[in-house]
Amino acid sequence: MDAADAARVAKKVASFQVLDEGEELVWLVVQAAHRRNKMKKRAIRACSSTGVGDWPKGWGTDATLAVALILNRHDVLSRSGYTILQAIERINPIWAQSLAEIESELRSDGLLPGRLPR
């Protein structure tokens, strides 16, 4: 899949045209990439905040919990009324698949500290 395929499929979706099986797969990949990028941007925005009250308003519960998990923010989870396990169960399963990857990218970009001490 390249950018031209993604653009062609997006155009078909926007005009409510029926997609074939291959195009449906392309559309799913495009959607997943969009959600992942959105989640990473939210995590970057939240990196410098001190608490959930400082995070941008309008995030849904799933987004808040996912970012808290990425940033290892137990305080945010607690203020939201969730444990780590409850948060993992609550968030969108598609986001859950990307959390570790996003955390690793933020760490390699220098936005998160190295490994936590044991």
Side-chain angles (χ1 to χ4, degrees):
M1 177 185 83
D2 60 14
D5 288 335
R8 180 181 51 77
V9 170
K11 189 174 182 178
K12 281 184 84 171
V13 168
S15 61
F16 299 100
Q17 295 179 23
V18 177
L19 302 178
D20 65 30
E21 274 187 45
E23 291 170 333
E24 285 181 14
L25 181 59
V26 169
W27 182 240
L28 291 173
V29 169
V30 167
Q31 286 178 309
H34 173 73
R35 283 188 296 270
R36 186 181 183 290
N37 288 337
K38 189 174 180 180
M39 187 57 52
K40 185 175 179 180
K41 286 178 183 178
R42 285 180 171 168
I44 290 170
R45 261 181 102 178
C47 276
S48 62
S49 71
T50 56
V52 72
D54 301 336
W55 290 15
K57 306 294 182 225
W59 287 5
T61 302
D62 285 3
T64 299
L65 297 175
V67 171
L69 288 167
I70 291 168
L71 301 180
N72 198 29
R73 294 289 303 269
H74 299 279
D75 61 317
V76 174
L77 293 174
S78 179
R79 286 185 203 161
S80 299
Y82 288 85
T83 65
I84 293 170
L85 291 176
Q86 290 169 332
I88 291 169
E89 286 180 348
R90 164 67 197 251
I91 64 172
N92 184 324
I94 295 170
W95 290 351
Q97 296 172 0
S98 300
L99 297 183
E101 293 172 8
I102 294 170
E103 180 197 23
S104 178
E105 289 173 16
L106 293 176
R107 197 172 306 289
S108 68
D109 292 345
L111 297 171
L112 292 177
R115 282 207 164 280
L116 296 172
R118 294 181 185 236

